[in-house]
Structures are given as structure tokens and as C-alpha cells.
Amino acid sequence: MGGCFSDLKGGLDAVGGSAKPQQNELNDAVAGFFQARGLQGLYMPLQLSLSASKLQDMDVFSKSDPMAVLYVKKQDGKLEEVGRTEVIQNSLNPAWITKICINFQFEMVQNLVFRIFDIDTKFHNTPVKSLQLNDQDYLGEASCVLSEIVTKQDRSVTLKLQKRPGMAHFGSLMVHAEETVASKQAVELILHCTHLENKDTFSKSDPFIRISRTVEGGASVPICKTEVINNNLNPVWRPVTLTTQQFYSKENPLVIECFDFESSGKHVLLGRIDASIAELQRLNRERVGTNFYVNQHGHRKVLKGQLFVDKFDEKTQYSFLDYISGGFELNFMVAIDFTASNGDPRMPQSLHYIDPAGRPNSYQQAIIGVGEVLQFYDTDKRFPAWGFGGRTRDGVSHCFNLNLLPMEAEVVGLEGIMGAYSTALRSVSLAGPTLFGPVINRAAEIAAHSLSYSQNKYFVLLIITDGVINDPNETKDAIVRASDLPLSILIVGVGNADFKEMEILDADGGRRLESSTGRVATRDIVQFVPMRDFLGGQVSIVQALLEELPGQFLSYVRSRDIKPLFAQQLS
Amino acid sequence: MATCTATACITSSPTLEITVISAEDLHQGRTNLGRGTFVTIRSGPSVVSTNANTEDTHNYPLWNERLHIREPSHGGWIQVDVSKRKHGDASNAVHIAGVKVPLSDFSYGPAGYKHFLSYRLRDQEGRGNGIVNLCVRRLGGNGEGQFNVGTHAMGYPVAPVGVGYDYGHSAYRKY
């Protein structure tokens, strides 16, 4: 485990379940572990239940024997099979029992294609997985985007089945999505220890706790660690929250280890305890401690040090999907850089060059990519769009309406943004400097204003820029203020400038952003991505930009006890 | 303030509900700033204080204590100070660091909106010393909710704020 807590800055912070508001940087080894298992970001497995009505009857003496197959349409247009239902015999209104599992990925547009086949009687003893679909009668297909389903209040859609696009309908298909995580229970614990062993020569130990889940084969997976408390043999840590996704079940064995933090990364084990969540609950109820032990020369040595559970609270944690299917909206806003460093838009080497052949420039790519994902979460699809650093008729402006209307910044749909962008390029001349403060403040005003009429809106501002900002202090001040609002900011850097300065706005390094007046951001709301890092890469820039958004959204609503609409109605 | 009758107070400036959550990374020589530290809030002539932190959380005191105070009628700011009791004596305290919080930082949004605010603290010489985390709600001019107008200048602790105080931590959690 030597490399597990390698850097001092990240290593000192709590991970996975702490209520400590700052820093919480997940250490790289654990992140790598979860990534390798596809668990990064918000992992949201869904089960799709399918049913159909008024299917076409293909059989002469009886009705059709339908089976449904789900595909995901990849970016290159190819279909990849995700799963199949069972065959239901002799029915034109089947309700399939087999659920098809798919992972919801917020940061991607997931195009689904459903195909229905009539399975010939002679194949009825063949396992569905080995059925050759070309041998079967085709009853029709339907398609939709997964986010269309999850944004519906009942998480259900009804789709028309067609044999070919543009042809008559052959019945309809109903799709219902459910989260497979049956329980959204979480427990909050406050842990403290007494009589820990002293491992440091000149001061006391600097203890932290790491909790791991035991997996098959005896290995253990770290699920959270507390912050480090310096120089203390009787430490009390900040509350940690563990979700059922992390610990699986109350009876599942966990390993609780207490380490003395060493900046070298070679933390010294002060003792371990094997206990389940149920066991921790007992410790809390009976107000007793349990002793740490170490393995010495093959036998177990019980130590004087003890672990106590001061608080054990069970609570419900609503998921991102609970909020967005319950009527929460993500409202999309765009700001585009009109500074001179982009180059004359009439020249092909300009970052703003609009290719008559229709190949989108970097700005258009970013708007389409992010907009395509976010538009499903914005019901009226009216998007405020601004430009900054350009010279309009009224002189240089650091926040002008992209549609050049005096009062109204909103445009309708992604086409509206694209149209306003190309019009603005023709009538606004590129100038400078590059200031972010005014557009962030404008977006913050809209977010702040929304609070007076709705608590179910969250705003996402996309800033696309080619250069380094000339107002780092104003920008930081604006971001720190905005951290108290329902707002996240995505920044895409285009072109080849040195974007080092931008990294400080993105609090991923673990440090909280501090304004010039000494106010400190209460959460990370910025995600910065340079576009050149993604050219030809495996991960799309849109995925990288949007990956943290569900977490940022949840940090806002959870800290304010804002519940999804269905839970608001219950209470 | 003591002469202010309940009726007179109702028509005056809004009440602030300030939850003093925690402070981070305080330091003062080798003194342990966990146990015995407390926060004082001044708004115009009114003063309220948290209880002293009783847990040995080293330089990261955690209060989670809700206080009520009148917003200053002249506008401006409220003063937030962290101090430490000497020898457990309430009247004998040492100032550690403080900050002026402008009212404009929580003057937007509807009444009752939870403003999560954090500030760099400074000692008397102006050197940075830790961060304080607050949650401020403006309760409107007539002290809406269960708040009892007569006790505004005293400040009273309530149970730690809710189960699972989830203060922004998910933003930093990556799974």
C-alpha cells in the first residue's frame, strides 16, 4: 500500500465520506481503482422494462412470438447490442419480464434503438442469446435517447414502432427505467479513538482512518478515509458518510484501519478492526469501544487503542436521477470569446473561421457537444448566449447579447445559438482584453434571480475562450460568490495558448478558491478543459467537461436539504 | 438593545440565523485550538457567541451551532471572531482571528435561503489564520418561523444542525 497515499496534499484530506467541506481530493490510486472498474463519476446502473402493444401479427395460425433487443447507436452509426428480453409466445401485447441493464452516463448522449422480432416456433428451445436475428421476422424498431426517459417524471416513454423510417406505425413500445440500486440508504458516522500507539519520536502520531470493503478472494477495496489529525492519540474525526453503493449491505465485512500519516506515503499501521456496518451500529448503541489489533508473527495481538462510534445515523440519499426525473432543470448558458487573438474570422486559420463546407470550428464543436447533452434537461430550450471581448456598435463589451438584441439574451435551441454566433461574427469586430468577470456575474445574477421563484433550477454556464484571462482577481471573486448559487461553470480552452492560469480556477487540486477579499469558495463549481488535450483521444471533451457536473449539482442540493419533487410532495 | 421591546424589534431590520459550522487550520504557536475555542458574532450593538468547542479536534474546531442576531440597521457588515478560553474561563479569552462579513454576501435570494459562506480569518496584525465556515439565513423583518423575538441578543445553541450535515462535501467526492 506504499503508493496508495503518495502525495502529501491529497493524502492529508478525507476521501469518500467526509463532511469536511474542502480539499477532499480522492487519491490517485483509489481513483484509478474505481476507474478501472468503470465506477468513476456517478455510476448509475439502470434497468429497462419493456412492453409493447398492437404488434403486427406475422403468424398464420396464432399470434406473433415477440422478443425485444436493445442496441446502443455508437458515434460512427454502428449498433452495439446491449441485451435481449425473453420470447413471449402468442402475444401482440407483450410485457417482457427480463429487464435489460444499461449504465446511464450523464456526460454522453446515449442513443438507444429497440428492435422487435417474431421468433419462429422452431427456435423456441434455443437460448435467446444464441438466436440468429436474421432468421427471425422483423416486427419493427423504435429509438430514443436515454436521457429522454430519465427526465420524465415516471421515467417512462412510449415510442412508435416502425419497420423503416418514414413508414407506417406497427404498434408501440413502452420503456420504463429504474435504478438498480435498490436502496439509497446511507449512514453517517462520527468515529473517535482512544489510547492510540505513539509512533512518532518528537511528537504524537498523526492518525487517520481508512475503511475498506472486503471483496471475494479476501482482497479489500478502500471506500473512504478520514482527514489526518495531527499530533493526537485520542482523535475525533469529522463525520463520514457511507452509502450502500459503497458498503453493499450492513452485514458485509469491512476492514477499519488506523494509520499514522507519514508524508513519505509509508503510513504506519496503528491497528485494524474487522467489523460490518451492523457491528458499528451496535458499538454506537451500546456506547462501547472495540480494540484494535495487529498481526504479529502470525498471531493476533490485541492493542490498548480503541475505536468508538459517537454517532450512527441512517438517512436517505437521493440520486442525481431522482432530482432530474423529479422536475429539476439544468439550464444551459453560453459565453463566447470575441477577443482579437482568435484571428480574423474571414481567414481559414482563425479559430472563429466558419467553414463553408460545414466543418464546425472549435467554438461550434464545444457548443454542439455540450449543448446536445444538456438540452434534454432544459424544458423550454431557451438559452442565454453572450459574447465577450468584442467591439459592438456601442464600443468594446465584456458581456453582450450574442443575438445583438438590446434586452433579450435568450435564443431558442442549439440552432438559435449557432445562428446568433455566425451573425455576431459578421457584425462584431474582435477586440480584447479577455475578461470573465462580467459574464460570470451576469450568469450569477440569473441564477440568483431564479431563487425567488423556483428552487428547482440549476444553471450551467459554458465559457469558450482562446486565451488567458486578464482579470484573474475579478474572475476569482465572481466564482467564489457564485459558489453559493445554483451554478456550475464549464470552461473550454481552444487554440494553443498556455492555459496554466486557468487551472487555478478549477479547484481540483484540492485547494479552495479564495477571492481577493478573503472570501473562500464553499464548493468547486468550475471545470476547465483545454480542447487540444482531447484531439484524437479516447475520451471526448464533452465527457471530460460534464463528468463532475452531477456531483456539483448534488453538493448544492444536498447541503441545502433540497429534496426531489416527489419527496417535497410527500413531506 | 435591552430596551428594545418585541414590537419595536418586529419593525426593525431582519433577523439573521447564523449557523457557525466550523473553522479550519487555525494556529497559534503550540496551543491546541480544538477544545475551548468559540465564535463571537457582532452586529451593530448586538453580540452572540457559540459555546466553547468541547471536543479535542485539534486546530479544526467544529461547532455546528445556530445563533440568532439582528441584522445591523445601518447596513455594512457583521464581525465574526474566533477566540479561545483560557483555563476554561469564559471571561478570560484570547482573540485568535476574525473577519468582517459584508451583508451583501447574503442579501440576495428569498428569505430563508441558506447561504454557505467561508472566509479567510486574519489576526490582529492582518496575517491569515485559518478559515471559518458559516451558513447564514435571513429570516425576514418579522422573525418568521419558530424564532422567539425576545431572545435575539442571547443566541442559543440548538442540536447539531440536522442529521448528516452534508456541507458541500459531494463536490469533492469523486465516486
Side-chain angles (χ1 to χ4, degrees):
Chain A
M1 68 141 277
C4 202
F5 303 99
S6 49
D7 65 315
L8 177 58
K9 185 160 56 90
L12 278 165
D13 306 329
V15 164
S18 169
K20 199 175 151 196
Q22 88 291 17
Q23 299 166 344
N24 258 351
E25 183 64 5
L26 181 59
N27 80 52
D28 295 342
V30 180
F33 178 89
F34 282 102
Q35 244 153 25
R37 283 157 182 76
L39 287 170
Q40 88 267 38
L42 276 122
Y43 174 67
M44 288 178 271
L46 294 179
Q47 284 187 331
L48 301 183
S49 320
L50 307 177
S51 61
S53 61
K54 296 185 184 148
L55 290 177
Q56 193 187 12
D57 198 355
M58 301 292 279
D59 295 4
V60 186
F61 300 109
S62 67
K63 301 199 178 73
S64 297
D65 303 320
M67 173 183 86
V69 183
L70 169 63
Y71 304 86
V72 168
K73 194 189 241 167
K74 295 281 162 192
Q75 288 219 304
D76 56 9
K78 286 202 182 101
L79 295 184
E80 190 179 277
E81 186 176 321
V82 179
R84 299 177 179 192
T85 63
E86 78 279 19
V87 178
I88 293 201
Q89 287 178 28
N90 201 18
S91 169
L92 299 180
N93 300 298
W96 290 282
I97 294 163
T98 307
K99 312 271 188 285
I100 302 179
C101 294
I102 185 166
N103 279 331
F104 170 73
Q105 284 174 285
F106 168 74
E107 66 277 13
M108 285 172 67
V109 176
Q110 292 168 285
N111 289 298
L112 307 182
V113 177
F114 300 90
R115 284 190 177 156
I116 316 295
F117 296 90
D118 174 22
I119 307 302
D120 197 287
T121 327
K122 68 178 182 228
F123 295 111
H124 281 184
N125 290 323
T126 314
V128 288
K129 285 220 171 81
S130 33
L131 285 171
Q132 288 298 317
L133 296 175
N134 328 353
D135 300 339
Q136 315 301 331
D137 287 323
Y138 171 59
L139 295 179
E141 73 173 52
S143 53
C144 72
V145 174
L146 186 53
S147 22
E148 283 177 54
I149 309 175
V150 298
T151 50
K152 294 280 187 310
Q153 200 155 2
D154 55 359
R155 291 188 195 166
S156 300
V157 289
T158 301
L159 307 166
K160 295 264 183 283
L161 287 166
Q162 292 178 308
K163 288 222 164 168
R164 247 158 231 100
M167 279 180 63
H169 299 145
F170 290 95
S172 51
L173 176 74
M174 278 70 72
V175 186
H176 174 70
E178 263 176 315
E179 277 174 274
T180 50
V181 183
S183 161
K184 292 183 185 118
Q185 290 306 304
V187 292
E188 188 185 65
L189 309 169
I190 294 181
L191 304 174
H192 93 258
C193 290
T194 56
H195 302 107
L196 292 175
E197 204 179 333
N198 196 11
K199 293 278 188 185
D200 293 2
T201 326
F202 299 110
S203 64
K204 302 193 184 84
S205 297
D206 307 320
F208 70 95
I209 294 267
R210 185 178 72 177
I211 303 179
S212 310
R213 184 182 69 227
T214 315
V215 293
E216 279 172 59
S220 60
V221 182
I223 53 175
C224 98
K225 70 184 174 93
T226 66
E227 76 278 14
V228 175
I229 294 186
N230 287 328
N231 195 21
N232 196 326
L233 301 179
N234 301 296
V236 185
W237 288 278
R238 295 295 156 76
V240 292
T241 304
L242 297 175
T243 64
T244 39
Q245 268 163 303
Q246 291 171 314
F247 64 79
Y248 286 3
S249 79
K250 276 179 139 180
E251 285 69 39
N252 199 35
L254 302 177
V255 179
I256 299 162
E257 290 159 302
C258 187
F259 293 95
D260 176 22
F261 183 89
E262 292 296 333
S263 46
S264 66
K266 291 178 179 155
H267 311 304
V268 182
L269 183 68
L270 298 176
R272 62 176 275 173
I273 286 167
D274 305 306
S276 62
I277 292 288
E279 177 69 8
L280 296 177
Q281 187 171 20
R282 187 189 64 83
L283 293 178
N284 171 260
R285 197 176 47 236
E286 296 172 9
R287 304 246 156 243
V288 292
T290 181
N291 289 73
F292 283 99
Y293 73 88
V294 285
N295 286 319
Q296 239 170 22
H297 314 299
H299 69 269
R300 179 178 289 210
K301 182 187 170 199
V302 177
L303 304 170
K304 206 178 158 200
Q306 283 195 313
L307 175 82
F308 292 83
V309 182
D310 295 347
K311 179 174 173 183
F312 186 98
D313 270 327
E314 291 179 81
K315 56 181 184 175
T316 306
Q317 252 188 346
Y318 296 107
S319 69
F320 180 66
L321 290 180
D322 285 331
Y323 286 96
I324 56 172
S325 66
F328 271 76
E329 291 216 355
L330 301 179
N331 292 273
F332 181 42
M333 310 193 268
V334 184
I336 296 174
D337 187 334
F338 278 75
T339 57
S341 47
N342 285 286
D344 185 343
R346 288 165 298 188
M347 310 305 284
Q349 58 271 33
S350 168
L351 293 165
H352 276 312
Y353 180 67
I354 294 189
D355 188 346
R359 231 189 120 229
N361 67 29
S362 298
Y363 284 86
Q364 291 169 313
Q365 283 176 33
I367 296 168
I368 296 171
V370 175
E372 268 182 346
V373 173
L374 290 181
Q375 61 175 344
F376 294 106
Y377 306 94
D378 191 332
T379 44
D380 66 5
K381 301 200 180 1
R382 296 178 64 84
F383 309 125
W386 303 287
F388 58 93
R391 184 175 285 107
T392 64
R393 260 181 310 183
D394 310 321
V396 174
S397 168
H398 299 293
C399 185
F400 57 89
N401 295 341
L402 202 60
N403 56 20
L404 303 174
L405 297 174
M407 303 300 284
E408 182 55 71
E410 285 185 348
V411 294
V412 180
L414 292 182
E415 319 75 58
I417 302 176
M418 294 317 219
Y421 168 62
S422 44
T423 318
L425 277 180
R426 270 178 255 126
S427 49
V428 176
S429 52
L430 306 189
T434 309
L435 309 185
F436 279 8
V439 283
I440 296 175
N441 283 332
R442 185 74 197 98
E445 270 172 47
I446 294 177
H449 177 68
S450 79
L451 297 172
S452 54
Y453 62 90
S454 169
Q455 64 164 9
N456 303 330
K457 282 178 179 291
Y458 192 89
F459 294 82
V460 182
L461 170 64
L462 170 67
I463 302 178
I464 315 166
T465 184
D466 82 315
V468 172
I469 44 171
N470 299 109
D471 64 339
N473 285 340
E474 287 78 5
T475 300
K476 268 191 247 175
D477 293 2
I479 293 172
V480 170
R481 274 197 299 274
S483 72
D484 183 41
L485 289 168
L487 177 66
S488 283
I489 301 169
L490 312 172
I491 305 174
V492 177
V494 297
N496 289 314
D498 176 15
F499 292 113
K500 201 89 194 129
E501 272 279 304
M502 304 289 214
E503 310 279 354
I504 54 166
L505 304 179
D506 189 340
D508 282 352
R511 281 198 47 178
R512 296 169 75 179
L513 197 64
E514 190 169 327
S515 81
S516 55
T517 60
R519 188 167 159 189
V520 180
T522 47
R523 57 193 189 100
D524 176 18
I525 63 164
V526 177
Q527 180 72 351
F528 169 73
V529 176
M531 195 173 246
R532 61 168 176 260
D533 292 2
F534 289 87
L535 298 172
Q538 292 288 307
V539 183
S540 87
I541 184 163
V542 178
Q543 282 173 269
L545 267 176
L546 294 177
E547 188 183 48
E548 290 182 17
L549 196 56
Q552 293 183 359
F553 170 87
L554 288 175
S555 78
Y556 176 82
V557 289
R558 284 184 182 160
S559 63
R560 285 170 178 77
D561 291 328
I562 299 172
K563 296 190 168 71
L565 287 184
F566 65 84
Q568 288 175 23
Q569 283 151 5
L570 286 177
S571 58
Chain B
M1 224 41 209
T3 56
C4 170
T5 66
T7 354
C9 287
I10 283 168
T11 54
S12 73
S13 49
T15 299
L16 301 176
E17 177 198 276
I18 302 177
T19 306
V20 180
I21 301 163
S22 61
E24 299 165 18
D25 201 21
L26 296 172
H27 46 87
Q28 191 164 68
R30 294 179 61 85
T31 320
N32 180 338
L33 298 178
R35 211 184 293 265
T37 50
F38 62 98
V39 172
T40 306
I41 296 173
R42 288 185 179 78
S43 168
S46 315
V47 185
V48 289
S49 292
T50 66
N51 289 314
N53 185 43
T54 52
E55 290 179 58
D56 192 8
T57 50
H58 213 67
N59 292 342
Y60 292 81
L62 180 66
W63 296 280
N64 257 343
E65 198 173 317
R66 201 177 293 171
L67 305 174
H68 290 93
I69 198 166
R70 212 42 94 186
E71 189 172 285
S73 47
H74 54 79
W77 65 83
I78 54 172
Q79 175 75 33
V80 178
D81 289 293
V82 181
S83 308
K84 181 177 164 73
R85 284 183 183 177
K86 264 188 171 171
H87 318 298
D89 178 0
S91 59
N92 188 4
V94 187
H95 181 260
I96 298 164
V99 64
K100 278 189 170 70
V101 176
L103 300 189
S104 56
D105 283 1
F106 48 83
S107 56
Y108 54 86
Y113 182 72
K114 287 182 181 171
H115 296 277
F116 286 98
L117 304 170
S118 300
Y119 296 92
R120 167 74 53 202
L121 293 163
R122 300 200 173 274
D123 66 16
Q124 257 127 4
E125 275 79 52
R127 287 179 300 235
N129 188 352
I131 288 173
V132 66
N133 298 310
L134 309 168
C135 175
V136 180
R137 298 171 73 204
R138 293 170 105 230
L139 297 180
N142 51 3
E144 75 183 34
Q146 68 288 55
F147 172 54
N148 174 357
V149 277
T151 59
H152 69 271
M154 292 168 59
Y156 49 86
V158 295
V161 187
V163 247
Y165 196 74
D166 206 19
Y167 180 43
H169 81 273
S170 330
Y172 298 86
R173 207 172 64 198
K174 297 284 170 68
Y175 59 96

